[in-house]
Amino acid sequence: MAKKKKDIRREFIIEEAAKLFKEKGFGGTSMRDLAEQVGMDAATMYHYISSKDEILKTICFDIAHTYITQLTEIEQAPQPITQKLKALIGLHIRLMTTKGPAVSVANNDWKFLSPEPLQEFKNLRSRYEKKLASFIEQGVQAGELQEVNASVALFTLLSAVRWVELWWKPNRGVSPEELENTILTILFKGLEKEKP
Protein backbone atom coordinates (compact mmCIF):
# COMPACT_ATOMS: atom_id res chain seq x y z
CA MET A 1 0.00 0.00 0.00
CA ALA A 2 1.37 3.43 -0.95
CA LYS A 3 2.33 5.73 1.87
CA LYS A 4 0.21 8.81 2.44
CA LYS A 5 1.73 12.18 1.61
CA LYS A 6 1.56 13.16 5.28
CA ASP A 7 3.54 10.05 6.31
CA ILE A 8 6.19 10.72 3.66
CA ARG A 9 6.55 14.34 4.83
CA ARG A 10 6.77 13.22 8.45
CA GLU A 11 9.49 10.66 7.63
CA PHE A 12 11.42 13.36 5.75
CA ILE A 13 11.24 15.72 8.74
CA ILE A 14 12.46 12.96 11.09
CA GLU A 15 15.36 12.04 8.75
CA GLU A 16 16.45 15.67 8.49
CA ALA A 17 16.09 16.10 12.26
CA ALA A 18 18.42 13.12 12.79
CA LYS A 19 21.05 14.83 10.61
CA LEU A 20 20.73 18.07 12.57
CA PHE A 21 20.78 16.32 15.97
CA LYS A 22 23.93 14.44 14.91
CA GLU A 23 25.59 17.66 13.75
CA LYS A 24 24.49 20.06 16.52
CA GLY A 25 23.25 17.75 19.26
CA PHE A 26 19.65 17.47 20.43
CA GLY A 27 20.03 20.41 22.82
CA GLY A 28 21.69 22.58 20.18
CA THR A 29 18.96 22.12 17.57
CA SER A 30 15.84 24.28 17.64
CA MET A 31 12.55 23.67 15.87
CA ARG A 32 13.34 26.82 13.88
CA ASP A 33 16.60 25.18 12.70
CA LEU A 34 14.62 22.13 11.66
CA ALA A 35 11.96 24.19 9.86
CA GLU A 36 14.73 25.89 7.85
CA GLN A 37 16.36 22.54 7.08
CA VAL A 38 13.15 21.05 5.67
CA GLY A 39 12.04 24.24 3.90
CA MET A 40 8.80 24.74 5.84
CA ASP A 41 7.53 27.38 8.19
CA ALA A 42 7.09 26.25 11.80
CA ALA A 43 3.27 26.24 11.62
CA THR A 44 3.31 23.86 8.63
CA MET A 45 5.86 21.60 10.28
CA TYR A 46 3.74 21.27 13.43
CA HIS A 47 1.06 19.75 11.20
CA TYR A 48 3.39 16.72 10.83
CA ILE A 49 5.21 16.63 14.14
CA SER A 50 4.20 17.87 17.59
CA SER A 51 7.57 18.54 19.23
CA LYS A 52 11.30 17.98 19.26
CA ASP A 53 10.74 15.40 22.03
CA GLU A 54 8.41 13.42 19.76
CA ILE A 55 11.08 13.39 17.04
CA LEU A 56 13.77 12.16 19.44
CA LYS A 57 11.49 9.44 20.79
CA THR A 58 10.60 8.29 17.25
CA ILE A 59 14.26 8.11 16.18
CA CYS A 60 15.45 6.29 19.31
CA PHE A 61 12.65 3.72 19.34
CA ASP A 62 12.78 3.06 15.57
CA ILE A 63 16.45 2.10 15.94
CA ALA A 64 15.89 0.15 19.18
CA HIS A 65 13.01 -1.84 17.66
CA THR A 66 15.09 -2.62 14.56
CA TYR A 67 17.76 -4.15 16.80
CA ILE A 68 15.24 -6.07 18.93
CA THR A 69 13.33 -7.40 15.89
CA GLN A 70 16.54 -8.58 14.22
CA LEU A 71 17.75 -10.09 17.49
CA THR A 72 14.56 -12.16 17.77
CA GLU A 73 14.83 -13.38 14.16
CA ILE A 74 18.54 -14.24 14.50
CA GLU A 75 17.97 -15.97 17.86
CA GLN A 76 15.43 -18.31 16.25
CA ALA A 77 17.62 -19.11 13.22
CA PRO A 78 19.06 -22.67 13.23
CA GLN A 79 22.74 -21.69 13.10
CA PRO A 80 25.82 -21.73 15.34
CA ILE A 81 26.20 -19.02 17.98
CA THR A 82 29.22 -17.53 16.19
CA GLN A 83 27.11 -16.98 13.07
CA LYS A 84 24.39 -15.34 15.16
CA LEU A 85 26.90 -12.96 16.73
CA LYS A 86 28.37 -12.12 13.33
CA ALA A 87 24.86 -11.44 11.98
CA LEU A 88 24.11 -9.06 14.86
CA ILE A 89 27.41 -7.19 14.53
CA GLY A 90 26.81 -7.04 10.77
CA LEU A 91 23.42 -5.47 11.47
CA HIS A 92 25.07 -2.76 13.60
CA ILE A 93 27.50 -1.96 10.78
CA ARG A 94 24.81 -1.94 8.07
CA LEU A 95 22.53 0.33 10.11
CA MET A 96 25.41 2.78 10.56
CA THR A 97 26.10 2.86 6.82
CA THR A 98 22.42 3.21 5.84
CA LYS A 99 20.95 5.18 8.78
CA GLY A 100 24.06 6.77 10.29
CA PRO A 101 22.46 9.96 11.67
CA ALA A 102 19.57 8.07 13.32
CA VAL A 103 21.95 5.50 14.87
CA SER A 104 24.14 8.35 16.13
CA VAL A 105 21.14 10.04 17.77
CA ALA A 106 19.98 6.77 19.36
CA ASN A 107 23.52 6.17 20.65
CA ASN A 108 24.22 9.66 21.95
CA ASP A 109 21.02 11.65 22.55
CA TRP A 110 18.76 9.01 24.16
CA LYS A 111 19.55 10.55 27.57
CA PHE A 112 17.41 13.57 26.58
CA LEU A 113 14.24 11.45 26.35
CA SER A 114 11.53 12.41 28.84
CA PRO A 115 11.37 10.17 31.96
CA GLU A 116 8.86 7.50 30.87
CA PRO A 117 10.28 6.85 27.37
CA LEU A 118 13.78 7.09 28.85
CA GLN A 119 13.10 4.21 31.21
CA GLU A 120 11.50 2.15 28.43
CA PHE A 121 14.49 2.80 26.16
CA LYS A 122 16.94 1.81 28.91
CA ASN A 123 14.98 -1.42 29.43
CA LEU A 124 15.19 -2.23 25.70
CA ARG A 125 18.95 -1.56 25.67
CA SER A 126 19.46 -3.70 28.76
CA ARG A 127 17.40 -6.55 27.29
CA TYR A 128 19.42 -6.42 24.06
CA GLU A 129 22.77 -6.34 25.87
CA LYS A 130 21.81 -9.25 28.15
CA LYS A 131 20.77 -11.36 25.17
CA LEU A 132 24.01 -10.59 23.34
CA ALA A 133 26.00 -11.48 26.49
CA SER A 134 24.07 -14.77 26.72
CA PHE A 135 25.03 -15.55 23.10
CA ILE A 136 28.68 -15.07 24.06
CA GLU A 137 28.27 -17.31 27.14
CA GLN A 138 26.57 -20.00 25.03
CA GLY A 139 29.36 -19.74 22.44
CA VAL A 140 31.98 -20.25 25.16
CA GLN A 141 30.09 -23.25 26.61
CA ALA A 142 29.69 -24.78 23.14
CA GLY A 143 33.41 -24.43 22.50
CA GLU A 144 32.83 -22.04 19.57
CA LEU A 145 34.39 -19.05 21.33
CA GLN A 146 37.44 -18.44 23.51
CA GLU A 147 36.89 -18.60 27.28
CA VAL A 148 36.44 -14.90 27.94
CA ASN A 149 34.48 -12.68 30.30
CA ALA A 150 31.11 -12.23 28.55
CA SER A 151 30.62 -8.60 29.71
CA VAL A 152 34.07 -7.54 28.53
CA ALA A 153 33.53 -9.33 25.20
CA LEU A 154 30.09 -7.75 24.78
CA PHE A 155 31.21 -4.17 25.30
CA THR A 156 34.37 -4.70 23.25
CA LEU A 157 32.24 -5.86 20.30
CA LEU A 158 29.75 -3.00 20.63
CA SER A 159 32.47 -0.38 21.14
CA ALA A 160 34.44 -1.77 18.22
CA VAL A 161 31.66 -0.81 15.77
CA ARG A 162 30.60 2.53 17.30
CA TRP A 163 33.31 4.48 15.43
CA VAL A 164 31.71 3.58 12.08
CA GLU A 165 29.02 6.26 12.54
CA LEU A 166 31.75 8.90 12.95
CA TRP A 167 34.23 7.80 10.29
CA TRP A 168 32.55 5.96 7.43
CA LYS A 169 31.28 7.87 4.41
CA PRO A 170 30.58 6.54 0.89
CA ASN A 171 33.55 8.55 -0.45
CA ARG A 172 36.08 6.92 1.90
CA GLY A 173 36.96 4.33 -0.73
CA VAL A 174 35.63 1.50 1.45
CA SER A 175 32.39 -0.14 0.33
CA PRO A 176 29.83 -1.12 3.00
CA GLU A 177 30.55 -4.80 2.18
CA GLU A 178 34.32 -4.37 2.58
CA LEU A 179 33.78 -2.45 5.81
CA GLU A 180 31.59 -5.20 7.26
CA ASN A 181 33.86 -8.05 6.12
CA THR A 182 37.01 -6.37 7.46
CA ILE A 183 35.48 -5.58 10.86
CA LEU A 184 34.07 -9.10 11.23
CA THR A 185 37.43 -10.63 10.26
CA ILE A 186 39.28 -8.51 12.84
CA LEU A 187 36.73 -9.13 15.61
CA PHE A 188 36.34 -12.87 15.10
CA LYS A 189 39.73 -13.92 13.71
CA GLY A 190 42.09 -11.12 14.78
CA LEU A 191 44.78 -9.35 12.80
CA GLU A 192 47.51 -11.92 13.25
CA LYS A 193 47.69 -14.59 10.55
CA GLU A 194 47.86 -18.18 11.74
CA LYS A 195 51.18 -19.72 10.86
CA PRO A 196 50.92 -22.85 8.65
Side-chain angles (χ1 to χ4, degrees):
M1 194 170 78
K3 285 183 182 174
K4 293 178 183 171
K5 189 176 175 184
K6 183 174 181 178
D7 292 336
I8 293 168
R9 275 288 177 88
R10 186 174 188 278
E11 281 178 17
F12 172 67
I13 291 167
I14 289 167
E15 280 174 20
E16 293 303 307
K19 292 175 191 172
L20 276 178
F21 292 170
K22 181 181 178 183
E23 183 189 328
K24 299 176 150 197
F26 176 75
T29 304
S30 68
M31 287 297 270
R32 183 175 290 165
D33 294 333
L34 182 54
E36 280 177 26
Q37 178 88 357
V38 298
M40 294 179 193
D41 59 57
T44 305
M45 197 171 64
Y46 281 115
H47 177 66
Y48 300 101
I49 211 91
S50 65
S51 67
K52 212 167 71 158
D53 287 346
E54 182 199 342
I55 296 171
L56 179 63
K57 182 180 171 185
T58 301
I59 294 168
C60 288
F61 281 91
D62 279 355
I63 294 297
H65 288 305
T66 299
Y67 284 131
I68 293 288
T69 302
Q70 289 286 319
L71 175 68
T72 305
E73 286 175 15
I74 289 167
E75 186 179 17
Q76 293 167 355
Q79 56 187 188
I81 289 291
T82 309
Q83 291 307 116
K84 292 181 180 185
L85 276 172
K86 285 181 180 178
L88 285 167
I89 297 302
L91 167 69
H92 279 259
I93 297 163
R94 284 190 301 281
L95 273 177
M96 287 178 193
T97 58
T98 57
K99 295 186 173 186
V103 172
S104 181
V105 171
N107 281 343
N108 301 306
D109 290 330
W110 58 269
K111 52 191 165 293
F112 296 110
L113 288 164
S114 51
E116 200 173 310
L118 177 63
Q119 191 55 54
E120 187 185 345
F121 186 79
K122 283 181 176 177
N123 291 344
L124 285 173
R125 271 174 65 118
S126 175
R127 182 174 139 202
Y128 184 80
E129 288 166 359
K130 281 177 182 166
K131 183 51 72 175
L132 258 180
S134 81
F135 278 0
I136 294 166
E137 287 164 354
Q138 289 169 48
V140 170
Q141 287 165 8
E144 289 181 45
L145 300 174
Q146 303 271 9
E147 290 192 21
V148 293
N149 179 290
S151 293
V152 174
L154 165 70
F155 291 110
T156 299
L157 288 173
L158 293 178
S159 299
V161 294
R162 283 281 302 265
W163 61 269
V164 172
E165 72 181 61
L166 302 170
W167 179 82
W168 188 84
K169 292 178 177 62
N171 62 2
R172 285 265 185 214
V174 180
S175 71
E177 295 76 22
E178 185 184 1
L179 179 74
E180 183 176 337
N181 290 337
T182 303
I183 292 173
L184 288 175
T185 297
I186 292 167
L187 289 177
F188 288 89
K189 292 184 179 175
L191 278 174
E192 190 175 356
K193 249 189 169 179
E194 287 184 18
K195 293 180 175 66

